[in-house]
Amino acid sequence: MSITVADIEAARRTIAGQVLRTPMLPAPKLSALTTAEIYVKYENLQVTNSFKDRGALNKLASLSASERERGVIAMSAGNHAQAIAYHAARLGIPATIVMPVTTPFVKVEATQAHGAEVVLEGETVAEAQLRAETIGRERGLTFVHPYDDPLVIAGQGTIALEMLEDAPDLDALVVPIGGGGLIAGTAIAARARKPAIEIVGAEAALYPSFWNALHGENRALGGATLAEGIAVKNVGVLALPIVRQLVSEIILVDEAHLERAVNAYLTLQKTMAEGAGAAGLAAMLVEPEKFRDRKIGLILCGGNIDARILASVMVRELERESRIVSFRLTIPDQPGVLGQIATRLGQLGANILGVEHRRLFLDVPAKGAKLDVTVETRDRAHGEHIFKVLTDDGFRPVWIDTATMME
């Protein structure tokens, strides 16, 4: 292979003292959720809140004096951008970052805050790369690829060295996979230290790049995913043969499981995970039987999630758990009816979150109305009890979801 464990050990020496040796801790609540014994490596605690600090610094430290003076350029959906910007500023290296126009604002703002020049170009990382390569040629800048670079891969592999020092009896690592830099470095280091350990990749179902490459399939790529950090259409040339040799399986994770995993990290572990950072946990939720009663290492590889998106994820998960439910009631359009319903819901222990009258529906009399009510409940059984009482009261409730209410 093009990268060896010796390269990873050298990277560890290079970045020592400049990148945090993040904690790896048992996660009993996640273990209860998945029926496995889970340990989490908290890479979201790095200065730029992702594992990208490691590979970025290892690459930047290798540059010659003239290369440092001219500067570097990179393309990224966010975390690689911040890592390059931060460490380049520390080392006095000018940095230009090309980011897709779809990059969350929180990542664009953070990259600029570290002093890098940000260019927004293209809808995808692949389109941003074309622009970055052009600018690099025009200005004579060193291109720092986010995953298809041996020094970057070696830097990411230092994570696995630390994980197996802290928990040497792990049975498997479940690793987010986009372009493949993280999983390639992790697999090389982990298998060198413990040949029997299993490496499993967690890939966004909307961007099954590695799945296609490994299975000879041509599944469609594209769409809005919570895991934009691993939403890549081109697998790493260096990573692909490493993944073929050392990774046992790729699990595709859909958006619902990604949302559930992000919410679990926040509500159970009290820590922030972006979609890509939570992909490993999401894979365990997709295929729980594969990991039952095994000791699993997860890499929470990034915590840079937009606050608005995180709030939406939390509310959506409450809806999935039926802790927020919505009913559409048919009511007489008379004074006092709304107050009666509000009183009734209060008696039933429901907290009213939203109410909307709809008077123009043709399936009700001219003197009638539809009333959409959203309430907070204890659980699904509580919601069903409220539904039954409203039915008995003659309001003909229909259980609806948020999408229906927006129609």
Side-chain angles (χ1 to χ4, degrees):
M1 290 180 287
S2 55
I3 301 100
T4 67
V5 69
D7 297 320
I8 296 170
E9 290 168 342
R12 186 176 190 179
R13 293 190 292 272
T14 297
I15 67 176
Q18 301 178 77
V19 168
L20 182 65
R21 191 193 190 286
T22 53
M24 184 175 175
L25 303 171
K29 292 181 179 179
L30 296 184
S31 298
L33 180 67
T34 61
T35 69
E37 185 180 353
I38 292 180
Y39 285 74
V40 176
K41 180 69 166 168
Y42 288 91
E43 284 297 293
N44 62 335
L45 298 180
Q46 296 291 355
V47 172
T48 65
N49 304 115
S50 93
F51 75 102
K52 293 286 190 177
D53 279 30
R54 298 171 182 263
L57 177 57
N58 195 44
K59 175 66 175 182
L60 292 174
S62 74
L63 300 182
S64 66
S66 60
E67 288 172 329
R68 293 188 181 206
E69 184 177 355
R70 288 194 300 271
V72 297
I73 189 164
M75 94 288 189
S76 169
N79 288 338
H80 180 65
Q82 292 178 61
I84 291 294
Y86 172 70
H87 289 288
R90 286 182 53 248
L91 299 172
I93 303 172
T96 302
I97 314 293
V98 183
M99 309 180 80
V101 296
T102 54
T103 303
F105 178 72
V106 64
K107 295 185 178 182
V108 176
E109 186 179 43
T111 303
Q112 292 173 325
H114 292 308
E117 175 189 350
V118 173
V119 177
L120 296 177
E121 183 83 21
E123 294 290 327
T124 66
V125 172
E127 293 175 3
Q129 179 175 348
L130 295 176
R131 180 59 177 156
E133 291 172 345
T134 299
I135 295 174
R137 287 192 297 269
E138 292 172 349
R139 302 185 188 175
L141 308 178
T142 299
F143 182 66
V144 183
H145 199 284
Y147 53 84
D148 215 6
D149 183 291
L151 289 168
V152 170
I153 291 174
Q156 321 306 26
T158 60
I159 297 172
L161 296 180
E162 296 173 8
M163 292 178 77
L164 287 174
E165 287 174 357
D166 293 344
D169 54 345
L170 290 174
D171 297 311
L173 304 181
V174 187
V175 185
I177 181 170
L182 174 60
I183 200 169
T186 298
I188 292 168
R191 295 291 296 275
R193 287 286 184 267
K194 187 175 183 179
I197 196 169
E198 183 181 14
I199 311 296
V200 177
E203 187 167 46
L206 290 174
Y207 290 83
S209 303
F210 264 95
W211 177 278
N212 285 343
L214 296 175
H215 294 86
E217 296 184 11
N218 192 29
R219 297 192 183 194
L221 303 171
T225 177
L226 184 63
E228 77 281 343
I230 54 174
V232 302
K233 294 185 176 181
N234 301 312
V235 303
V237 174
L238 296 175
L240 181 57
I242 298 170
V243 171
R244 285 189 191 279
Q245 183 175 342
L246 300 180
V247 175
S248 65
E249 182 179 357
I250 303 291
I251 296 176
L252 298 180
V253 293
D254 57 34
E255 295 304 299
H257 283 95
L258 285 167
E259 291 180 20
R260 187 182 174 198
V262 167
N263 184 73
Y265 270 120
L266 184 62
T267 58
L268 299 180
Q269 292 306 112
K270 311 305 179 186
T271 190
M272 290 180 65
E274 60 190 85
L281 177 59
M284 296 186 67
L285 297 175
V286 170
E287 295 192 19
E289 288 302 317
K290 176 178 176 59
F291 304 102
R292 184 181 295 276
D293 299 326
R294 302 176 69 196
K295 194 167 187 176
I296 308 299
L298 295 180
I299 304 173
L300 200 178
C301 61
N304 291 309
I305 186 169
D306 184 273
R308 180 182 60 84
I309 298 298
L310 181 59
S312 176
V313 166
M314 294 179 68
V315 171
R316 287 163 63 89
E317 193 60 26
L318 289 173
E319 291 174 345
R320 289 191 181 98
E321 296 172 354
S322 295
R323 292 171 61 192
I324 293 178
V325 297
S326 299
F327 304 114
R328 177 166 292 161
L329 311 179
T330 302
I331 64 172
D333 195 6
Q334 299 173 354
V337 175
L338 181 57
Q340 295 172 15
I341 294 172
T343 298
R344 189 61 153 153
L345 290 171
Q347 293 170 345
L348 294 169
N351 181 35
I352 299 174
L353 300 179
V355 177
E356 183 177 358
H357 276 91
R358 297 175 180 268
R359 290 181 170 83
L360 300 181
F361 284 6
L362 297 179
D363 61 343
V364 294
K367 292 187 177 181
K370 295 288 189 182
L371 183 71
D372 290 348
V373 182
T374 301
V375 298
E376 183 180 11
T377 66
R378 293 187 297 272
D379 51 29
R380 177 79 182 187
H382 187 203
E384 290 174 346
H385 175 64
I386 294 169
F387 183 90
K388 181 180 184 304
V389 172
L390 293 174
T391 300
D392 294 341
D393 287 349
F395 292 117
R396 292 187 286 164
V398 176
W399 200 302
I400 60 176
D401 59 25
T402 304
T404 303
M405 295 180 68
M406 295 301 292
E407 291 175 354

